[in-house]
Amino acid sequence: MTRVHTLSVRQGFLHVLVAAIAWGTGGAAGALLTRTGDLGPAAVSFWRFAIGAALLVAVRRLGRRSRSGRTDWRDAAMAGPLMAVCQVAYFAAIDETGVALATMITMGASPVLVALGGRAFLREPLGRAEVAAVGLSVAGLLLMTGGGGTFSPAGVAWALLSAAAYAATTLLAKASAGDPYGRAVGGFCAGALCLIPVAAVSGLVPSHADLPVLAYLGAVPTALAYGLFFSGLTRVGATTASVVVLLEPLVAAVIGVAALGERPAPGQIAGGVLLLATVGLLARVQIRRR
């Protein structure tokens, strides 16, 4: 992992896959923080960005081991606000429409926007496999979330804004030739700075009970996940990566069954199987092409 530019396609795909799994564990951690009521969504996002940046700098020794040797702060100036908007808009959508509908719209729209943007701005191929994968993954996501929730124009707008910010972040990372870990650190720093004014209004100081959960959020669903995702994008197409990331709600559902005793409906199981099959299809297509 120290030499990101030597990744094979198979390794890049694996990086994105592990990132999706790591992001999937963040939902349960976020739910624990929400139950305490001490921190709002903006404050939680601020701390995960700040902790994630500190961990990546400490572990990677960024200036010595990266391909470029330094963080591209111009990329960070664009990626940071986009990452902050993605987080805050998603939480705002949940407040307006509920978790299921907000997740379905945000994550369902993301691969579509990435596919269209990748074709328009990056000239990425958009063949039958990619089109089929996007359609199948959105269908699987719809089955997974069940389509419940309260319809709200404002909630839909927030969800689409979150999806657009995520798509822009992905395309920006794919187009950049800089060090992916440096991009993650710079994005975390810029995003945290953007969130300070909003987070300060609702309270920025965590309680002692929140510290272990915040540490996990900063380490696994943030530092590890974003670092691997950005490095995987150096070898995997943006559309493929955006579809693989849809495994996140599947991982969250598995955690709910294993740790919380939840019982998935038959439609949710079918959606999970469809998502796994789609990711397997994309993996074979990517490896064969390269």
Side-chain angles (χ1 to χ4, degrees), residues 33 39 43-59 184-185 188-189 192 204 206 210-224:
L33 289 173
L39 294 175
V44 172
S45 298
F46 165 79
W47 282 114
R48 69 181 295 184
F49 284 165
I51 295 170
L55 287 175
L56 275 184
V57 169
V59 173
V185 171
F188 293 159
C189 292
L204 195 58
D210 291 335
L211 293 180
V213 184
L214 283 175
Y216 178 83
L217 273 176
V220 179
T222 307
L224 176 66

Side-chain angles (χ1 to χ4, degrees), residues 119 124-134 239 282 285 289:
R119 180 60 178 169
E124 282 198 350
L126 190 59
R128 289 178 294 179
E130 285 81 9
V131 173
V134 170
T239 301
L282 277 178
V285 169
R289 282 180 177 172

Side-chain angles (χ1 to χ4, degrees), residues 3 183 194 199 206 225:
R3 295 183 180 179
R183 184 181 308 113
C194 292

Side-chain angles (χ1 to χ4, degrees), residues 135-287:
L136 290 173
S137 62
V138 172
L141 180 66
L142 177 61
L143 290 171
M144 282 284 298
T145 57
T150 303
F151 178 81
S152 163
V156 172
W158 281 118
L160 291 176
L161 177 61
S162 179
Y166 166 80
T169 302
T170 301
L171 295 174
L172 178 65
K174 182 63 180 177
S176 175
D179 170 44
Y181 294 99
R183 184 181 308 113
V185 171
F188 293 159
C189 292
L193 289 174
C194 292
L195 287 169
I196 285 179
V198 182
V201 174
S202 59
L204 195 58
V205 180
S207 66
H208 292 295
D210 291 335
L211 293 180
V213 184
L214 283 175
Y216 178 83
L217 273 176
V220 179
T222 307
L224 176 66
Y226 277 100
L228 289 176
F229 180 71
F230 287 151
S231 68
L233 277 174
T234 63
R235 299 299 293 161
V236 175
T239 301
T240 296
S242 68
V243 171
V244 174
V245 167
L246 291 185
L247 288 179
E248 177 185 343
L250 176 59
V251 174
V254 171
I255 292 175
V257 172
L260 304 178
E262 297 177 355
R263 292 186 177 182
Q268 292 176 312
I269 296 175
V273 171
L274 186 57
L275 281 174
L276 286 174
T278 302
V279 170
L281 168 67
L282 277 178
R284 293 186 61 185
V285 169
Q286 287 280 315
I287 293 172

